């Protein structure tokens, strides 16, 4: 098991504990911080990103290891000052990665899911991308490779740097005095997540706020301008997989519809939100112009939907730990380098199917939260894939050394999940007027 997966296993538990503490604190302070549906959507988004990371479903254009082997001028070892240099270098790279992801149409799709929640709490920090497949920012790490920061140092620091961005996604901590000039605080990041005109495209830094001071993107949180959270083109769905690709789909639609060939290419590299003039009026999209007047997305749901969706969430959290256990138990080193597509499918078939099952299942229950008609279709596909896995891979039933769960329990879950989904799609939805059919 690699360093990142090991760190992720413990981070998931730590994050859940902190979210529970924030929820309790909010109740004690009589502040409404969490919305059940939004929280389930946020955590589900984090889980899909975890599955992608565990299965290493990313394409690295040029690895840091290669740059270090071929570009390093010095051999500076791995003493504590090297870790400090590495951390600052990573933070600098993150600033520009983050900023460019916001500023260009073609890159915004990699980051949109993180901003899609209309709440601001620790759960929304878990909204991480699955559409960020190609790792294109390798060149930002060239300076670290040149001076000889070892790959092992980078591999240790990267997850620490990512996890250190979790704590400031909260409304319960106010301004923090002199620290406001040094590190990113909850106040700074509330500004970053806001869609108020004054706050748009500000405070890109991840750990050290001085990058924003240096590059002219800092904005203080103002008492007279309370932040309103979300994205300018509201997602209006609880389905994190759809949110991950909604901007990309819109770009493809606009590129196809515009008459000018120059616009078909230009649209990808223009500032985020730019659309050709010949399609703006013909194919309008909803944009939030007055954030303080915007009504947050909500769906008609009864208490059972919340209970069932919460159960699904817990079940899928357990599935994450189960997948990590299976990889360790079967002593599998997931490494796609130098393998053909056929070799990848044949060697890692179980894990790829497990990941596919997981994604489709998340799609199903979060779309059910939307009351989407497509939820039932995904539930049927999920049941078929799940049954195939159980029948053909007996190892998947192992939950601990020598301990196996009965396949009948899993089949019972499939049946119950399908029945509940069918009930809401075929009976309840036909009685409820105005429910969302967003897919």
């Amino acid at each position: 098991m690699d360093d990142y997966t090991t760190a992720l296993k413990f981070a998931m538990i730590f994050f859940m504990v902190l979210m529970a503490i924030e929820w309790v604190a909010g109740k004690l302070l009589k502040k409404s911080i969490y919305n059940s549906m939004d929280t389930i959507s946020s955590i589900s988004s984090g889980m899909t990103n975890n599955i992608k990371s565990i299965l290493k479903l990313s394409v690295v254009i040029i690895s840091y290891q290669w740059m270090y082997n071929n570009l390093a001028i010095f051999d500076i070892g791995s003493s504590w000052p090297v870790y400090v240099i590495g951390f600052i270098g990573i933070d600098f790279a993150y600033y520009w990665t983050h900023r460019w992801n916001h500023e260009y149409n073609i890159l915004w799709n990699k980051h949109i899911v993180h901003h899609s929640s209309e709440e601001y709490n620790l759960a929304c920090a878990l909204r991480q991308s699955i559409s960020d497949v190609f790792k294109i920012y390798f060149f930002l790490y060239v300076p670290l490779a040149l001076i000889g920061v070892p790959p092992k140092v980078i591999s240790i620091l990267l997850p620490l740097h990512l996890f250190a961005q979790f704590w400031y996604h909260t409304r319960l901590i106010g301004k923090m005095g002199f620290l406001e000039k040094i590190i990113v605080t909850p106040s700074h990041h509330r500004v970053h997540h806001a869609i108020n005109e004054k706050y748009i495209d500000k405070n890109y830094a991840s750990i050290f706020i001085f990058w924003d001071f240096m590059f002219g993107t800092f904005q203080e949180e103002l008492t007279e301008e309370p932040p309103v959270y979300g994205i300018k083109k509201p997602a209006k769905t609880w389905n994190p997989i759809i949110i991950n690709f909604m901007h990309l789909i819109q770009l493809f639609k606009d590129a196809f519809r515009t008459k000018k060939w120059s616009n078909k290419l230009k649209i990808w590299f223009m500032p985020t939100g730019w659309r050709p003039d010949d399609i703006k009026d013909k194919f309008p999209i909803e944009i939030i112009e007055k954030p303080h007047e915007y009504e947050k997305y909500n769906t008609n749901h009864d208490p059972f939907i919340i209970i069932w969706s919460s159960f699904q969430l817990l079940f899928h959290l357990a599935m994450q730990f189960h997948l990590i256990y299976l990889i360790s138990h079967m002593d599998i080193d997931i490494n796609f380098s130098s393998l053909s597509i056929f070799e990848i499918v044949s060697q890692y078939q179980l894990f790829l199917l497990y990941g596919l099952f997981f994604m489709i299942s998340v799609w199903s229950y979060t779309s059910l939260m939307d009351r989407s008609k497509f939820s039932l279709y995904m539930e049927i596909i999920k049941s078929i894939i799940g049954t195939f896995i159980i029948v053909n891979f007996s190892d998947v039933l192992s939950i601990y050394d020598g301990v196996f769960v009965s396949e009948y329990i899993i089949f019972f879950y499939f049946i119950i999940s399908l029945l509940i989904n069918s009930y809401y799609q075929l009976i309840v939805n036909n009685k409820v007027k105005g429910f969302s059919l967003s897919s």
Side-chain angles (χ1 to χ4, degrees):
M1 192 183 304
D2 62 26
D3 294 335
Y4 180 82
T5 303
T6 302
L8 180 63
K9 182 169 62 173
F10 294 103
M12 286 190 291
I13 299 172
F14 182 63
F15 291 163
M16 294 301 159
V17 171
L18 287 183
M19 282 187 285
I21 293 173
E22 184 188 35
W23 180 80
V24 171
K27 291 294 184 183
L28 294 175
L29 294 171
K30 295 182 172 17
K31 290 186 177 181
S32 179
I33 296 173
Y34 281 93
N35 170 296
S36 298
M37 293 301 207
D38 182 84
T39 302
I40 293 169
S41 178
S42 293
I43 299 174
S44 298
S45 177
M47 292 192 300
T48 59
N49 175 265
N50 290 345
I51 294 297
K52 172 190 163 218
S53 299
I54 293 167
L55 297 179
K56 301 180 180 178
L57 300 177
S58 297
V59 178
V60 179
I61 308 299
I62 297 179
S63 70
Y64 185 81
Q65 181 72 57
W66 183 93
M67 291 192 294
Y68 176 81
N69 291 341
N70 291 274
L71 302 178
I73 299 173
F74 308 103
D75 181 7
I76 60 176
S78 56
S79 59
W80 72 262
V82 175
Y83 279 86
V84 173
I85 293 170
F87 193 84
I88 294 173
I90 288 171
D91 202 52
F92 174 79
Y94 261 65
Y95 171 85
W96 286 106
T97 297
H98 193 184
R99 181 168 175 172
W100 291 332
N101 282 348
H102 273 262
E103 291 183 339
Y104 296 98
N105 258 339
I106 194 172
L107 301 177
W108 175 233
N109 195 78
K110 295 155 64 72
H111 190 57
I112 187 173
V113 70
H114 183 66
H115 284 262
S116 59
S117 175
E118 294 171 357
E119 308 295 334
Y120 187 76
N121 49 44
L122 291 177
C124 86
L126 301 181
R127 293 194 178 218
Q128 299 294 324
S129 177
I130 60 171
S131 59
D132 183 15
V133 176
F134 294 95
K135 303 301 180 182
I136 63 173
Y137 293 114
F138 60 88
F139 57 90
L140 291 170
Y141 295 86
V142 168
L144 293 175
L146 283 171
I147 64 175
V149 177
K152 184 65 176 178
V153 171
I154 299 299
S155 69
I156 291 172
L157 290 177
L158 278 174
L160 292 176
H161 186 273
L162 177 63
F163 299 153
Q165 299 171 46
F166 177 75
W167 72 278
Y168 50 61
H169 291 81
T170 182
R171 283 178 275 168
L172 295 184
I173 300 175
K175 294 190 177 182
M176 301 179 68
F178 73 94
L179 291 176
E180 298 284 318
K181 302 295 184 182
I182 305 170
I183 63 172
V184 176
T185 66
S187 178
H188 295 149
H189 210 61
R190 285 193 290 268
V191 166
H192 178 69
H193 272 255
I195 56 173
N196 312 51
E197 193 62 35
K198 193 173 187 65
Y199 295 156
I200 288 288
D201 293 338
K202 301 294 183 181
N203 299 1
Y204 293 114
S206 296
I207 304 298
F208 298 116
I209 194 63
F210 52 67
W211 302 122
D212 285 294
F213 288 118
M214 290 173 60
F215 299 116
T217 52
F218 178 75
Q219 172 61 52
E220 182 182 8
E221 183 181 22
L222 305 174
T223 305
E224 66 272 18
E225 185 69 25
V228 178
Y229 306 105
I231 49 180
K232 294 286 282 184
K233 178 184 180 297
K236 294 198 170 180
T237 176
W238 303 123
N239 186 327
I241 300 174
I242 290 174
I243 298 172
N244 264 278
F245 297 98
M246 58 181 289
H247 183 67
L248 183 64
I249 292 171
Q250 186 64 54
L251 287 178
F252 273 115
K253 285 180 178 179
D254 287 351
F256 176 77
R257 289 166 173 168
T258 185
K259 302 300 182 184
K260 290 185 178 180
W261 282 97
S262 60
N263 283 340
K264 293 179 184 294
L265 177 63
K266 181 180 177 182
I267 189 173
W268 302 93
F269 305 100
M270 292 297 287
T272 300
W274 183 89
R275 304 180 74 208
D277 291 334
D278 62 339
I279 61 170
K280 281 182 181 178
D281 295 330
K282 190 174 182 180
F283 302 100
I285 58 177
E286 180 184 4
I287 300 294
I288 300 174
E289 301 291 351
K290 298 179 179 179
H292 290 290
E293 297 178 10
Y294 172 71
E295 186 175 340
K296 293 179 182 178
Y297 176 68
N298 205 354
T299 46
N300 297 321
H301 55 266
D302 56 44
F304 181 77
I305 280 287
I306 296 177
I307 294 171
W308 175 246
S309 301
S310 299
F311 167 78
Q312 290 276 36
L313 181 69
L314 293 173
F315 183 79
H316 286 72
L317 280 169
M319 284 178 63
Q320 280 188 112
F321 286 102
H322 182 236
L323 178 59
I324 293 172
Y325 160 75
L326 281 179
I327 292 171
S328 176
H329 174 69
M330 298 174 67
D331 195 24
I332 299 294
D333 177 23
I334 296 180
N335 187 350
F336 297 148
S337 60
S338 303
L339 294 180
S340 67
I341 296 296
F342 176 79
E343 290 171 326
I344 290 172
V345 172
S346 62
Q347 291 185 32
Y348 302 108
Q349 187 177 18
L350 167 59
F351 302 105
L352 294 175
L353 284 172
Y354 199 119
L356 179 62
F357 171 85
F358 191 98
M359 296 292 184
I360 291 176
S361 187
V362 168
W363 186 312
S364 175
Y365 75 77
T366 55
S367 283
L368 180 61
M369 289 157 53
D370 284 328
R371 299 297 182 88
S372 165
K373 62 184 179 182
F374 291 99
S375 175
L376 182 57
Y377 306 150
M378 302 308 286
E379 187 69 29
I380 293 170
I381 296 171
K382 158 193 160 180
S383 300
I384 294 171
I385 295 175
T387 301
F388 180 85
I389 293 173
I390 298 299
V391 170
N392 290 278
F393 301 95
S394 58
D395 284 336
V396 80
L397 296 173
S398 173
I399 57 174
Y400 194 70
D401 291 338
V403 180
F404 292 81
V405 66
S406 170
E407 64 267 28
Y408 295 111
I409 294 176
I410 306 301
F411 288 139
F412 179 73
Y413 160 73
F414 291 162
I415 293 170
I416 293 298
S417 186
L418 184 58
L419 287 175
I420 290 173
N421 201 304
S422 300
Y423 171 74
Y424 275 93
Q425 295 301 331
L426 303 178
I427 298 177
V428 176
N429 280 357
N430 288 331
K431 297 177 181 179
V432 178
K433 303 296 182 183
F435 65 87
S436 169
L437 288 180
S438 59
S439 52

